[in-house]
Amino acid sequence: MKDSAKGRFLRRYTELPFLIDFLETKKITLLNPKSWDDRNDSYYLQQYGEATGLSSIYSLCLTETNETYHHWRVFSHGASGVCIEFHKGMFLDRVKRVEGLRAEPVIYRTLDDMRSKPPETEELPFIKRHAFGDEMEYRLFVARTNHETVTLKIPVSLDTISRIMLSPWLPKEVANQVKSALRAIRGCSKLKIYRSTLVENEAWKKFANNEL
């Protein structure tokens, strides 16, 4: 039975180079949010850093919802896109061992909500505008003092992976080679790796001709 939203899994939409780095190092990369498209979101995280005196901030965005066209197009557009699906409980157990890391669902609020109840400083890293609510984001966030690197890597064992989905725009013939290459990485031989059929599914097509 298909998992429901906010169920047993967390999904990370990203690009193939970041997946390979994760599989090779067994560490997942958190980035500084300065370059995010949502400037409001980035601003709130920066304000949290200024308010707390923690100048180095790092974040990673996941989602609690099922596979969507929106997530593929926005967060991993193109043939090199991938979706790493994690067992939620196992994944959170690993990452919460990192000192100072917060792992929480994002809260979506309207301007009226914010006017009636302005956010507390501790809430700033996990607030977004209501229009982004369909993303159902679950966020990892770390703030530190004078950390010199632009990224922060945290250990996450590969047994937390439920499956890996390759881009629905990746040609099938190429997808087979990518699967083989990924499974050749140390510790990855038994990974479940699929090419997404979101935009072209043969079972779905059959219903147009009443084929059961």
Side-chain angles (χ1 to χ4, degrees), residues 42-212:
S42 177
Y43 180 78
Y44 270 44
L45 271 68
Q46 296 294 333
Q47 288 300 110
Y48 175 86
E50 291 185 15
T52 59
L54 300 171
S55 56
S56 299
I57 60 177
Y58 307 91
S59 189
L60 180 75
C61 304
L62 304 105
T63 180
E64 296 188 88
T65 195
N66 297 323
E67 181 186 17
T68 71
Y69 182 83
H70 168 87
H71 283 90
W72 280 115
R73 275 297 186 189
V74 174
F75 299 105
S76 57
H77 176 53
S80 66
V82 297
C83 175
I84 312 169
E85 183 179 88
F86 295 100
H87 295 287
K88 182 177 179 180
M90 293 175 64
F91 178 80
L92 294 179
D93 178 67
R94 301 300 195 282
V95 300
K96 287 183 177 179
R97 299 175 187 177
V98 176
E99 182 180 358
L101 184 141
R102 295 172 62 184
E104 302 174 24
V106 168
I107 304 300
Y108 299 92
R109 299 184 60 183
T110 65
L111 286 171
D112 286 342
D113 289 338
M114 298 292 272
R115 291 187 184 103
S116 62
K117 186 182 178 183
E120 302 290 335
T121 298
E122 289 301 308
E123 297 176 303
L124 293 178
F126 299 94
I127 292 179
K128 291 185 74 170
R129 294 195 67 177
H130 188 265
F132 292 87
D134 288 343
E135 293 178 356
M136 293 182 64
E137 183 182 337
Y138 200 102
R139 179 173 295 176
L140 306 188
F141 178 75
V142 178
R144 294 183 174 172
T145 304
N146 297 325
H147 198 74
E148 295 181 356
T149 62
V150 295
T151 65
L152 178 67
K153 289 192 172 188
I154 60 176
V156 178
S157 56
L158 300 187
D159 62 353
T160 61
I161 299 175
S162 166
R163 61 176 175 168
I164 293 170
M165 289 183 284
L166 305 178
S167 170
W169 296 282
L170 183 67
K172 293 179 182 179
E173 298 78 8
V174 178
N176 290 332
Q177 299 304 316
V178 172
K179 291 177 188 177
S180 297
L182 293 176
R183 291 194 178 112
I185 297 173
R186 181 175 57 85
C188 299
S189 61
K190 296 183 179 180
L191 282 180
K192 296 178 180 178
I193 307 174
Y194 306 92
R195 174 182 173 273
S196 172
T197 62
L198 184 66
V199 300
E200 187 174 16
N201 184 289
E202 296 304 320
W204 177 267
K205 287 180 179 180
K206 290 181 179 180
F207 289 106
N209 300 313
N210 293 319
E211 296 181 38
L212 302 177

Side-chain angles (χ1 to χ4, degrees), residues 26-41:
K26 282 64 175 176
K27 294 180 180 180
I28 201 161
T29 302
L30 280 67
L31 301 173
N32 188 293
K34 286 183 178 180
S35 62
W36 287 0
D37 282 342
D38 183 358
R39 302 303 186 198
N40 294 320
D41 198 10

